[in-house]
Amino acid sequence: MIVRDKLPLKRIWPQAWKRLLVLLIFDCTVAAVYSIFHHRWISLNGLPIAPLASALTIFLAFRTNAAYGRWWEARQLWGQLVNTSRALTVQFLTMLDDETEDPHRVPLRNTLVLHQITFTHALRCHLRRQTALPEVRTLLGESTARGLSVYKNLPAGLVLRMGSLLRQARNEGMLDSYRWAAINENLTVLTNIQGACERIKNTPLPRQFDYLPRVLVNAFCWLLPLGLVEDLGLLTPIASVLISFTFIAADLMSREISNPFENTIHDTPMTALSRTIELNLREQMEEMDRERGWHGGAKYRRPRPVGDVMPVDGFVF
């Protein structure tokens, strides 16, 4: 995601320069044919440039709004994931009666928190078509990673495993029915968040939204110098390229933000958000350990030290 105040043109230029170069050559040809060789027939002075530009602007705005709606919904879903993860962690740490727990094993509440941390990383990798097993091995251990490797949908497998651990807690008398229902409600929210993210990922904008704006922008850019040359003469290429760049840039930007889980600079910053979730949940878990006298007691895994993801050159992933 772009967090800098200004977007450098070098981020747009690599995708637009070829189209603009071809248009510049065409614009110069039109200007030369009209002004130097005096072929007046090439001019289409009656072409309604302003109404055409207005109509195309409305069409691009409609498409941009649809693309931005997808991007903003993705960001809202990950914001909801942050809040739900914190709420689940509070429930895991405060609702499980652990007086009967073996002091030589990892507290079940901490195991559940680590599963929730792993879920956020697994969902990020799942949406970006990356493998999440390295994250699972680091956070939960090799044996758990082998057990979860059978799932094609790893985040769904983690939610199922958390449900199994909660059933174990209920069977051991650590959880009653009322608290079980409260925690299960948030597990359902996790499943709904994942489903909504997958819907955005797997359902692109309708193809006509992707194809028609590009065709119409190209047609407008080719007709533009023919409508300007009679008034501007040899200055036609300058005006035509500047106007064309505006429409081409709008078309490119709306296309890029329409897919918010593609691991680009326009992506939802899932790496930063999942790291934020991990930091918050670890702080809560370690604070609860100190309150209950577990700090320095049980020898369970405390995986990698983590820090905030900082923006690089004005971008955060």
Side-chain angles (χ1 to χ4, degrees):
M1 184 175 71
I2 303 172
V3 294
R4 66 191 311 169
D5 294 332
K6 297 180 180 179
L7 178 65
L9 290 180
K10 66 180 181 180
R11 295 291 175 179
I12 302 175
W13 186 251
Q15 303 174 65
W17 74 270
K18 291 182 180 179
R19 294 167 68 182
L20 289 174
L21 179 60
V22 173
L23 288 171
L24 177 62
I25 295 172
F26 178 72
D27 296 344
C28 291
T29 302
V30 171
V33 168
Y34 183 87
S35 301
I36 298 176
F37 298 101
H38 306 292
H39 292 289
R40 306 301 182 186
W41 57 267
I42 202 171
S43 171
L44 298 178
N45 190 42
L47 188 68
I49 295 294
L52 283 175
S54 299
L56 185 55
T57 300
I58 294 172
F59 197 80
L60 283 174
F62 184 76
R63 183 256 177 84
T64 301
N65 286 338
Y68 180 77
R70 289 165 56 86
W71 184 91
W72 181 239
E73 183 185 3
R75 182 60 185 86
Q76 286 180 309
L77 288 168
W78 271 80
Q80 186 181 5
L81 178 60
V82 173
N83 296 336
T84 304
S85 297
R86 291 169 179 166
L88 267 173
T89 298
V90 171
Q91 291 175 327
F92 292 154
L93 296 176
T94 60
M95 289 187 175
L96 268 66
D97 298 324
D98 59 354
E99 289 81 1
T100 60
E101 288 191 83
D102 184 351
H104 299 291
R105 76 176 187 183
V106 181
L108 185 58
R109 62 175 183 272
N110 289 358
T111 300
L112 285 164
V113 173
L114 290 176
H115 275 71
Q116 179 57 36
I117 292 172
T118 307
F119 173 85
T120 62
H121 290 294
L123 181 59
R124 164 177 55 84
C125 295
H126 176 68
L127 294 172
R128 289 177 173 171
R129 308 294 191 202
Q130 300 169 342
T131 177
L133 287 177
E135 297 281 355
V136 178
R137 291 190 187 97
T138 301
L139 290 162
L140 301 178
E142 182 64 35
S143 60
T144 303
R146 282 197 302 270
L148 290 169
S149 63
V150 300
Y151 292 99
K152 184 177 180 180
N153 191 320
L154 190 55
L158 282 163
V159 173
L160 179 62
R161 185 174 174 83
M162 282 192 281
S164 299
L165 291 172
L166 289 168
R167 183 179 60 188
Q168 173 189 335
R170 185 179 180 185
N171 292 339
E172 293 181 8
M174 292 188 239
L175 197 64
D176 59 32
S177 298
Y178 296 103
R179 288 178 288 179
W180 165 279
I183 296 175
N184 187 65
E185 183 177 346
N186 276 328
L187 290 180
T188 302
V189 173
L190 284 185
T191 303
N192 292 336
I193 291 173
Q194 179 186 346
C197 289
E198 289 173 340
R199 168 176 51 80
I200 296 173
K201 174 71 176 182
N202 299 325
T203 308
L205 278 175
R207 288 306 174 194
Q208 55 269 35
F209 274 26
D210 186 63
Y211 178 73
L212 287 179
R214 187 182 183 92
V215 171
L216 294 176
V217 167
N218 286 336
F220 176 81
C221 292
W222 287 104
L223 291 173
L224 183 61
L226 303 179
L228 296 177
V229 67
E230 183 174 336
D231 295 324
L232 298 180
L234 292 176
L235 295 178
T236 298
I238 298 175
S240 180
V241 167
L242 288 176
I243 296 172
S244 298
F245 176 74
T246 302
F247 285 97
I248 290 172
D251 177 46
L252 289 173
M253 287 187 291
S254 63
R255 180 176 292 108
E256 287 174 342
I257 66 172
S258 66
N259 298 309
F261 298 131
E262 295 299 319
N263 201 19
T264 68
I265 60 172
H266 307 284
D267 199 6
T268 302
M270 294 184 288
T271 301
L273 290 169
S274 57
R275 189 67 61 84
T276 297
I277 292 172
E278 181 171 357
L279 284 169
N280 293 165
L281 271 54
R282 285 186 181 281
E283 288 176 356
Q284 292 175 329
M285 181 173 61
E286 292 174 3
E287 179 62 28
M288 186 60 64
D289 284 349
R290 284 192 291 269
E291 289 182 8
R292 299 193 179 189
W294 281 84
H295 185 62
K299 303 298 183 183
Y300 56 88
R301 300 172 61 86
R302 286 196 182 277
R304 63 178 187 269
V306 292
D308 288 320
V309 174
M310 303 303 296
V312 177
D313 192 27
F315 305 97
V316 62
F317 288 89

